Amino acid sequence: MSSVHFPFSAVVGQDDLRLALLLNAVSPAVGGVLVRGEKGTAKSTAVRALSALLPEVDVVPGCRFSCAPAAPDPSCPDGPHQQGPGALRPARMVELPVGASEDRLVGALDIERALAEGVKAFEPGLLADAHRGILYVDEVNLLHDHLVDVLLDAAAMGASYVEREGVSVRHAARFLLVGTMNPEEGELRPQLLDRFGLTVEVAASREPAQRVEVVRRRLAYEDDPAGFATRWAGDEHEVRARVVAARALLPKVSLGDTALLQIAATCAGFEVDGMRADIVMARTATALAAWAGRTEVRKEDVRQAALLALPHRRRRNPFDAPGLDEDLLDRILDEFPDEEPEPDPEPDPEPGPEGPDGNGPDDGGPGDGGPDGGPGGTPPQESGPDAPASEAEAPQTPPGSEQRPSAQENGDGGPEQAAVRAAEPFRTKMLSVPGLGEGASGRRSRARTAHGRTTGAQRPRGHLTKLHLAATIQAAAPHQKARGRSGRGLVVRKDDLRQATREGREGNLVLFVVDASGSMAARQRMSAVKGAVLSLLLDAYQRRDKVGLITFRGAGAQLALPPTSSVDAAAARLEQLPTGGRTPLAAGLLTAQETLRIERLRDPSRRPLLVVVTDGRATSAGALGGDPRELSRRSARMLAAEGVASVVVDCESGPVRLGLAGVLAADLGGPAVSLDGLRADSLAGLVKNVRTAVTSQSSHTHRRAA
């Protein structure tokens, strides 16, 4: 990969992305940028190019923590520093890999020297490198929880604290946090989401001329990176000069009472939680005015600030699409008109004869492309008979009716019913997999993890990350005389070091198998079923699980959503789920077994939890042939024999109940719970039942094998 970054001013389109990044360059106090969008839309390219536009940083010569000569950090591990002339260096952009360890992020102490010599030998981490620069996290939504916690602490306090067995180090860590993510791969925790000052949604352009220009510039860059950068050097210099001028003007910008009222009314009108949004909007509007070369904040600045700072703060749950009602925004702002008349239109964000705003001969026009922009994007919403119908649009079904005729057949002789909306989600209690796992960090089942309570010690299998001090001293103590110890320090060898074993929580694969047959087609029942599954999906999001969705009806089963970290995708597939036809229960269970087999090969450490949502009926064997009920029972017993933890959500209703879901649960070796019993206040004892049932089934299997 070339060391010459793609020039920022050569990025085609993506006006909101470029503006948000430049506003943070003008005023780092804005709080960073979260860039959401599909792959191949210049997210990473634009962020990496931003560092070249930042002014140089004045640092203390030789300081590994980038202390400012005029006001050095009194707690700097390399200090104390005497005031004196500094040295200029370019602003850094530090990338945090998703799989980085905590020691790589915050730094590490030399434990052996700390024990033997009593010195704080500290190796700085990425937070120290990013101080007074940019910390960039690609795929930030995939970052491990313990790293997210560290980032939250550093962003809140502007400092990093490293604690290792009684030895502590503190250093300043103020940085511009920039993250990119693809929403299809999962969402961010709300706490981290709120730490980003601005958010931008990006997508590839659908204009052929725009896409042609994207490809042309990208190929030219890859053929000759240095030459391409030279051709855009003039535009880069102009943008950099404008950033420097805006920074100098920023302290002179006046944020009047009218602008403050507009900001407060906007945040209140959109029911944004907390006060951080008001502060971010104020800083963003001030930076917009400085970027435009003005010394007063106007209504258009407040409007643009709202579009960048509020969308991600309005989400009440992970299934809410980010966005802002611009008509409501305009109505709120119109209540507080500016005292001055509206100004003439401001110049384009980037100056220059060949800037990326479409003025140059090489530009393909406005749009949303980027230098690595490729095909693929979010298609328009479907319309027609297959689109989800709202409660108001769909005909009502009589309470006693199980099916409603439709013009479309499902291929198995039964009518297909239009999709219905899910009932309101509710809070569920935790379902967990029994035993002790070693999967990815999460919040569901017990597991051996890098973080959690200490349960013992062992020899390190690789790089030592968590020292067990007592076990290390116990291992080293008997050998002190043989090692010729003469002073106060303990003579510690590498073989003496012991790794702490810890127990925490892991994330699991929650695989939903949902009955969508005609027996589930009553409107109220299917709405309640979808509401229950949506509630469990919300729980899976909060516990950092992967989820998958299998549906069965008519002639067979379908893997509607392969295992993924995006619960949004699962919720969307669930919302569009139609019903109708016979009930191939065995096909659904066998599809689940095959899905889990493949997933074990891909991610062997992640344990599954199977959630079967059905009334227990089995009326079709599909292409398998044979007795449907016997086939479904055999399929369930096969899953139980493999040790898969299962829960059956019993959807049967009415005065006469057959109890078939309970029979299925017994064959699976797990509990059955009704839709009403799935609620948190009615779920007491279910986790215990899951563990007891699976343990009993496992013991029965072992006895039968013996």
Side-chain angles (χ1 to χ4, degrees):
M1 181 180 294
S2 172
S3 59
V4 180
H5 289 308
F6 193 96
F8 186 88
S9 53
V11 175
V12 180
Q14 304 293 19
D15 294 338
D16 287 344
L17 170 59
R18 291 182 291 119
L19 178 61
L21 292 172
L22 288 169
L23 291 177
N24 275 274
V26 171
S27 176
V30 166
V33 186
L34 174 64
V35 187
R36 298 164 46 94
E38 60 201 26
K39 54 187 177 294
T41 49
K43 301 189 299 293
S44 301
T45 299
V47 173
R48 293 190 176 100
L50 177 65
S51 60
L53 303 179
L54 298 181
E56 292 184 321
V57 179
D58 192 17
V59 299
V60 173
C63 178
R64 298 174 297 168
F65 300 87
S66 302
C67 286
D73 181 6
S75 303
C76 177
D78 284 354
H81 300 301
Q82 301 296 327
Q83 290 192 1
L88 291 176
R89 64 158 176 80
R92 292 175 181 158
M93 194 205 68
V94 178
E95 292 194 44
L96 171 61
V98 170
S101 66
E102 184 178 349
D103 286 345
R104 182 72 186 97
L105 178 61
V106 302
L109 292 170
D110 189 331
I111 300 297
E112 190 170 349
R113 289 191 62 192
L115 289 174
E117 304 174 26
V119 298
K120 296 180 182 179
F122 181 69
E123 185 66 27
L126 296 177
L127 289 179
D129 293 340
H131 179 47
R132 304 176 70 194
I134 302 172
L135 181 62
Y136 171 47
V137 189
D138 194 11
E139 305 294 351
V140 64
N141 51 323
L142 304 182
L143 200 63
H144 290 302
D145 277 358
H146 65 283
L147 297 184
V148 170
D149 294 335
V150 172
L151 275 181
L152 289 174
D153 290 342
M157 298 183 294
S160 174
Y161 291 85
V162 184
E163 303 285 345
R164 290 293 187 274
E165 305 297 343
V167 182
S168 63
V169 172
R170 176 207 171 276
H171 65 83
R174 292 182 295 275
F175 47 82
L176 171 60
L177 182 61
V178 180
T180 58
M181 60 174 284
N182 184 345
E184 295 178 356
E185 297 173 340
E187 283 292 344
L188 277 176
R189 286 171 54 183
Q191 295 93 331
L192 182 57
L193 191 64
D194 192 50
R195 287 294 177 185
F196 287 97
L198 310 179
T199 186
V200 178
E201 296 279 340
V202 296
S205 172
R206 297 298 182 262
E207 293 293 330
Q210 182 84 44
R211 299 173 77 94
V212 166
E213 186 60 27
V214 169
V215 174
R216 180 182 291 120
R217 293 189 186 183
R218 187 70 196 188
L219 293 178
Y221 166 74
E222 292 178 353
D223 289 341
D224 183 10
F228 185 83
T230 300
R231 290 195 295 275
W232 287 88
D235 297 272
E236 291 285 277
H237 176 74
E238 290 185 19
V239 177
R240 189 182 302 111
R242 188 172 175 184
V243 170
V244 172
R247 277 194 172 189
L249 184 62
L250 187 66
K252 303 175 185 177
V253 175
S254 172
L255 184 66
D257 291 342
T258 300
L260 285 172
L261 282 172
Q262 291 169 345
I263 291 170
T266 300
C267 293
F270 283 102
E271 299 180 353
V272 177
D273 293 334
M275 295 298 298
R276 183 173 283 119
D278 302 63
I279 297 171
V280 171
M281 273 191 65
R283 290 171 174 166
T284 305
T286 304
L288 280 162
W291 178 249
R294 289 185 270 100
T295 57
E296 75 283 345
V297 173
R298 297 176 179 172
K299 184 170 72 174
E300 64 264 28
D301 301 325
V302 176
R303 187 182 193 279
Q304 183 64 58
L307 294 175
L308 293 173
L310 296 188
H312 62 299
R313 292 186 166 88
R314 296 193 62 245
R315 305 189 79 191
R316 292 296 184 265
N317 65 64
F319 310 130
D320 293 338
L324 214 61
D325 184 344
E326 295 192 31
D327 291 336
L328 174 59
L329 175 61
D330 289 333
R331 289 197 298 271
I332 293 173
L333 293 178
D334 287 342
E335 296 178 5
F336 303 93
D338 288 338
E339 297 178 1
E340 298 294 332
E342 291 294 324
D344 294 330
E346 297 296 334
D348 292 323
E350 271 73 57
E354 295 182 3
D357 51 0
N359 294 330
D362 293 335
D363 195 276
D368 296 324
D372 54 354
T378 304
Q381 293 295 322
E382 296 181 0
S383 61
D386 293 333
S390 67
E391 289 290 345
E393 296 169 345
Q396 296 298 314
T397 303
S401 174
E402 288 290 328
Q403 294 183 345
R404 179 172 54 83
S406 173
Q408 183 176 356
E409 299 294 322
N410 64 15
D412 196 36
E416 180 179 286
Q417 317 302 318
V420 299
R421 287 188 177 276
E424 282 297 315
F426 51 84
R427 187 172 63 89
T428 67
K429 280 192 176 178
M430 181 175 62
L431 306 176
S432 65
V433 179
L436 192 64
E438 294 182 350
S441 176
R443 298 192 184 91
R444 185 172 296 278
S445 304
R446 293 174 55 233
R448 298 183 184 92
T449 60
H451 298 79
R453 63 185 182 88
T454 301
T455 58
Q458 64 181 14
R459 290 181 181 272
R461 298 175 182 175
H463 177 66
L464 178 69
T465 56
K466 296 290 183 181
L467 179 76
H468 195 294
L469 181 60
T472 299
I473 294 175
Q474 187 176 6
H479 308 290
Q480 296 304 296
K481 185 175 181 180
R483 293 174 183 174
R485 174 185 170 185
S486 58
R488 298 177 58 186
L490 189 69
V491 181
V492 179
R493 302 281 172 82
K494 186 175 182 179
D495 290 342
D496 301 328
L497 299 179
R498 295 294 183 268
Q499 174 83 27
T501 57
R502 297 171 181 262
E503 182 179 312
R505 294 280 174 178
E506 67 177 358
N508 297 113
L509 166 60
V510 182
L511 182 62
F512 294 92
V513 181
V514 180
D515 186 349
S517 64
S519 63
M520 305 284 289
R523 174 171 296 277
Q524 291 182 353
R525 180 188 298 184
M526 198 60 200
S527 178
V529 167
K530 286 187 176 182
V533 178
L534 199 64
S535 304
L536 292 169
L537 282 172
L538 181 59
D539 180 70
Y541 163 77
Q542 293 168 341
R543 301 192 187 282
R544 312 295 286 177
D545 295 317
K546 291 179 70 174
V547 296
L549 178 64
I550 294 172
T551 63
F552 60 93
R553 65 186 181 94
Q558 176 188 10
L559 179 60
L561 181 70
T564 175
S565 297
S566 175
V567 296
D568 289 32
R573 304 290 171 88
L574 179 71
E575 191 70 21
Q576 299 168 6
L577 178 65
T579 56
R582 305 185 73 182
T583 312
L585 176 57
L589 297 176
L590 291 175
T591 302
Q593 184 186 35
E594 178 64 13
T595 302
L596 294 178
R597 183 189 68 81
I598 295 173
E599 194 64 20
R600 274 194 294 268
L601 297 176
R602 293 174 177 168
D603 192 357
S605 64
R606 190 181 289 268
R607 298 185 295 162
L609 175 64
L610 185 67
V611 180
V612 185
V613 185
T614 180
D615 57 9
R617 289 180 173 87
T619 62
S620 172
L624 300 172
D627 178 29
R629 292 187 61 180
E630 181 58 30
L631 193 59
S632 65
R633 296 196 68 178
R634 286 187 1 227
S635 302
R637 289 166 185 162
M638 288 171 58
L639 284 164
E642 293 177 358
V644 177
S646 305
V647 177
V648 177
V649 179
D650 185 0
C651 303
E652 193 173 31
S653 60
V656 179
R657 304 194 181 192
L658 303 178
L660 297 177
V663 175
L664 174 63
D667 290 332
L668 285 169
V673 58
S674 66
L675 286 175
D676 291 337
L678 194 60
R679 296 180 180 272
D681 54 2
S682 304
L683 206 58
L686 180 58
V687 175
K688 180 180 178 181
N689 291 339
V690 173
R691 293 177 176 150
T692 303
V694 173
T695 303
S696 299
Q697 179 69 26
S698 178
S699 301
H700 176 68
T701 303
H702 287 311
R703 287 198 303 270
R704 191 168 53 184

